[in-house]
Amino acid sequence: MATIGRGNPHIFTAGYGSLKNPQYFKSYVDHYEAQLVDVRISARSRDKAFTKSGLTSLLGGSYTHLPNSGTKTLNPRRYRPNSLNPAKASN
């Protein structure tokens, strides 16, 4: 959450799909003294810089992962505790 103007907190959304470097987030967080809240169910990415550990290394205490705040998966079987779905084994 960033405070802009008269001290009112603001919430912004950002995607990372087209970004090549997470430095964009670092610049934004530093400039606005903001907190990056990651709401992905699983903070993983093919690009290691956008994983939970990569973003934590880059942003330190300005990064928080809140998986229960985000959009649920489009494949609900994947996260059912008793699912026989083999995708569950890779989580």
Side-chain angles (χ1 to χ4, degrees):
M1 187 167 6
T3 303
I4 300 173
R6 293 182 269 167
N8 296 324
H10 288 68
I11 297 174
F12 299 92
T13 61
Y16 74 97
S18 63
L19 294 178
K20 303 293 183 210
N21 186 331
Q23 190 61 38
Y24 165 81
F25 292 131
K26 174 86 171 129
S27 299
Y28 186 88
V29 164
D30 289 348
H31 180 76
Y32 290 106
E33 298 179 4
Q35 181 76 22
L36 178 71
V37 178
D38 188 347
V39 297
R40 294 177 289 174
I41 295 289
S42 179
R44 290 187 275 171
S45 174
R46 290 183 185 131
D47 184 340
K48 292 182 182 187
F50 291 100
T51 62
K52 182 177 181 176
S53 62
L55 291 170
T56 298
S57 294
L58 179 68
L59 301 172
S62 295
Y63 172 81
T64 303
H65 181 226
L66 297 176
N68 292 328
S69 299
T71 304
K72 301 298 180 208
T73 180
L74 296 176
N75 179 2
R77 277 182 37 125
R78 185 172 185 178
Y79 293 98
R80 277 194 215 148
N82 299 323
S83 175
L84 299 176
N85 184 352
K88 175 71 174 141
S90 67
N91 289 328

